[in-house]
Amino acid sequence: MSTAVRRAPLLGLPAVLFALITWQVVGHGPLLRLDARLSRALVHPDPFSELLSDLGNIQVAVPVLVLALGCAAWRGRAAGADRWWLPPLAAAVLMALVPAVVVPLKDWTARPGTPEMPTGVGYFPSGHTATAAVAYGSATLLLLPWLRSTAARRTLVAGCAALVLGVSYGLVRHGYHWPLDVVASWCLCTMLLTTLALFVGLVSGGGTAAGFRRARTSHGASSSSDGPGSRSSSDGPESRSSSDGPEPCSSSDGPGAR
């Protein structure tokens, strides 16, 4: 089964859910009443929730992504990976596209904020959630191939999920956004990050992680060939000139030739 087929649900299901939520917001559907009740139950502004929501600021999330871009580019080039520059470039472009996607949606839906916010519109979907999800999610996709142990990869994924969920909780808890604003951004960013993974996998052949691991393996193999365990066939006991034996023969006649 191809990678695109396996990841199809990560595109289709979030797209359907995002369309449903957007339809309810634009049409002032019954789902908004449930959203309002849930918001009233969750909202309780405090310094901790504000701190969590600040993790979705551009000034915080984007520098983290920039560090991951630099690390992935450096490791890819050092390992001799094909098109090592592509994953960092694609992640940077995706981050730049987030406002180009979110801002028109905010203008079109014109959803008012919660009672905790000043009068105004443009709260759907959540821009802070989208910034956090794409920045931390892209950083995770870039760094995963370079982590050797399963525990390290799981820790990175768990850390990314904790950051995104923390930002989401802070936004809703402090009353900056309705719960549906945040859920819609989850759906949108799931589609964006899946598209990023599919695009990089298509261009690099076999996926980012697979391609980088192959490059890292081949780089390690070429390095090991220069080590003390590497020697030419002339160093072995079987190697000798034709003058050493009574029956000179070509190398193709030896027992090691197949």
Side-chain angles (χ1 to χ4, degrees):
M1 184 180 295
S2 67
T3 303
V5 173
R6 290 197 305 269
R7 293 180 178 174
L10 294 178
L11 286 172
L13 294 178
V16 172
L17 184 57
F18 180 78
L20 173 63
I21 296 174
T22 305
W23 167 56
Q24 288 291 294
V25 170
V26 174
H28 304 285
L31 193 59
L32 296 191
R33 292 194 292 271
L34 176 61
D35 192 33
R37 287 198 296 269
L38 182 59
S39 178
R40 287 194 296 270
L42 293 176
V43 169
H44 184 73
D46 56 57
F48 181 64
S49 62
E50 184 172 12
L51 176 64
L52 288 176
S53 66
D54 286 343
L55 296 176
N57 288 342
I58 292 177
Q59 297 87 340
V60 177
V62 172
V64 173
L65 176 59
V66 170
L67 288 175
L69 295 177
C71 181
W74 175 69
R75 292 297 301 271
R77 184 177 182 182
D82 293 336
R83 293 187 286 268
W84 55 267
W85 47 268
L86 179 60
L89 176 62
V93 170
L94 184 66
M95 189 72 250
L97 286 176
V98 168
V101 173
V102 172
V103 172
L105 285 169
K106 286 177 174 289
D107 292 339
W108 176 53
T109 56
R111 188 181 192 189
T114 69
E116 302 294 327
M117 299 304 295
T119 303
V121 295
Y123 289 88
F124 178 93
S126 168
H128 274 62
T129 303
T131 298
V134 172
Y136 300 135
S138 297
T140 299
L141 288 175
L142 291 175
L143 296 178
L144 272 178
W146 304 110
L147 299 179
R148 295 180 179 273
S149 69
T150 301
R153 290 193 291 271
R154 288 177 177 173
T155 300
L156 179 61
V157 172
C160 172
L163 284 172
V164 176
L165 290 175
V167 171
S168 304
Y169 171 81
L171 292 170
V172 174
R173 183 70 168 174
H174 209 277
Y176 289 131
H177 277 285
W178 304 99
L180 282 182
D181 300 345
V182 170
V183 174
S185 283
W186 290 350
C187 297
L188 180 62
C189 293
T190 299
M191 294 185 286
L192 292 177
L193 291 172
T194 301
T195 302
L196 172 65
L198 289 173
F199 172 75
V200 174
L202 177 65
V203 176
S204 62
T208 307
F212 279 1
R213 286 183 186 127
R214 283 197 300 270
R216 185 173 61 192
T217 302
S218 63
H219 178 68
S222 63
S223 299
S224 64
S225 65
D226 298 330
S230 174
R231 61 182 180 181
S232 64
S233 59
S234 60
D235 297 333
E238 293 83 9
S239 175
R240 60 183 177 181
S241 66
S242 59
S243 60
D244 295 334
E247 297 181 359
C249 60
S250 66
S251 60
S252 61
D253 296 331
R258 296 182 185 272

